[in-house]
């Protein structure tokens, strides 16, 4: 099943934010546009409808916004990956490197069953650190990742390449070269 859609017409670029030289790809304008938002969700639903997905795992916080409606439409569960200290139950944690320092994300230990088929969702793939850490969390719980997906891929920052080199299939609705 296929559904073609290019969300770039709805994504705002903010130059020099949060630092000089950065071209920030702001998806809030996509989310605010009722047709653009619906087309975004529909694209993922059409892509994964026949894949028998058990769970959609969304990364804090924009991955929640797109992951939850995808899970609803696929009749699967939604599992949040949160910043450390935000989940109340027993969690599994993973560290990853940032440009200046490190961070940690976690998910509940009972969120996924071994053998579950999942898709991992976030708004954007840049350097890939958060996505790789989330993928490791999923695998720690014994689930398998069907695909890692995002609205925007910034391939020049190397994240999608790192994810592919780690053995994950990567899908994005659009790419911005030169960022």
């Amino acid at each position: 099943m296929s559904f073609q859609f290019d969300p770039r017409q709805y994504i705002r670029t903010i130059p020099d934010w949060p630092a000089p030289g950065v071209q920030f790809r702001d998806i809030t304008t996509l989310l605010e546009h009722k047709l653009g938002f619906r087309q975004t969700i529909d694209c993922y639903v059409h892509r994964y409808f026949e894949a028998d997905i058990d769970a959609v795992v969304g990364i804090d916080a924009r991955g929640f916004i797109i992951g939850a409606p995808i899970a609803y439409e696929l009749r699967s569960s939604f599992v949040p990956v949160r910043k450390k200290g935000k989940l109340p139950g027993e969690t599994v944690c993973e560290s990853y490197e940032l440009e200046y320092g490190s961070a940690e994300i976690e998910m509940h230990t009972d969120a996924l069953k071994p053998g579950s088929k999942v898709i991992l969702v976030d708004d954007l793939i840049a350097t890939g650190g958060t996505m790789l850490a989330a993928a490791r969390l999923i695998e720690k719980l014994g689930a398998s990742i069907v695909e890692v997906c995002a609205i925007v891929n910034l391939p020049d920052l190397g994240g999608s390449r790192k994810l592919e080199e780690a053995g994950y299939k990567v899908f994005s609705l659009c790419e911005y070269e030169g960022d």
Side-chain angles (χ1 to χ4, degrees):
M1 197 176 286
S2 177
F3 181 85
Q4 297 297 316
F5 169 64
D6 184 350
R8 285 179 284 200
Q9 62 187 312
Y10 303 113
I11 296 171
R12 172 175 50 191
T13 299
I14 300 175
D16 299 318
W17 195 87
V22 174
Q23 296 294 311
F24 186 80
R25 305 307 177 173
D26 179 17
I27 67 153
T28 62
T29 48
L30 169 67
L31 301 174
E32 293 165 359
H33 194 280
K34 62 184 177 183
L35 178 59
F37 183 52
R38 177 172 282 290
Q39 288 175 311
T40 298
I41 301 305
D42 287 349
C43 186
Y44 292 111
V45 171
H46 284 265
R47 182 172 184 84
Y48 301 113
F49 191 75
E50 295 177 357
D52 192 29
I53 300 298
D54 297 305
V56 176
V57 177
I59 298 175
D60 195 344
R62 291 178 204 93
F64 298 177
I65 296 168
I66 59 174
I70 294 168
Y72 174 81
E73 290 294 332
L74 294 177
R75 295 186 170 101
S76 67
S77 65
F78 175 77
V79 176
V81 170
R82 304 254 5 230
K83 294 174 180 86
K84 186 170 176 63
K86 299 292 185 180
L87 293 172
E90 185 180 338
T91 61
V92 59
C93 186
E94 187 70 35
S95 297
Y96 63 100
E97 295 303 313
L98 298 168
E99 188 175 354
Y100 301 105
S102 63
E104 293 178 291
I105 55 173
E106 58 188 7
M107 67 189 325
H108 282 129
T109 56
D110 59 356
L112 297 170
K113 301 207 179 340
S116 294
K117 291 171 38 180
V118 306
I119 55 173
L120 175 57
V121 180
D122 205 359
D123 66 322
L124 183 132
I125 301 171
T127 62
T130 309
M131 284 278 221
L132 283 167
R136 288 190 295 268
L137 287 174
I138 291 165
E139 290 176 343
K140 281 182 183 179
L141 297 180
S144 64
I145 299 170
V146 172
E147 199 161 56
V148 172
C149 57
I151 296 170
V152 175
N153 181 22
L154 303 175
D156 293 345
L157 297 181
S160 54
R161 180 181 36 77
K162 287 179 194 170
L163 288 159
E164 289 167 348
E165 288 171 355
Y168 303 109
K169 287 179 56 183
V170 177
F171 172 74
S172 65
L173 297 182
C174 68
E175 293 185 351
Y176 289 91
E177 300 280 340
D179 288 344

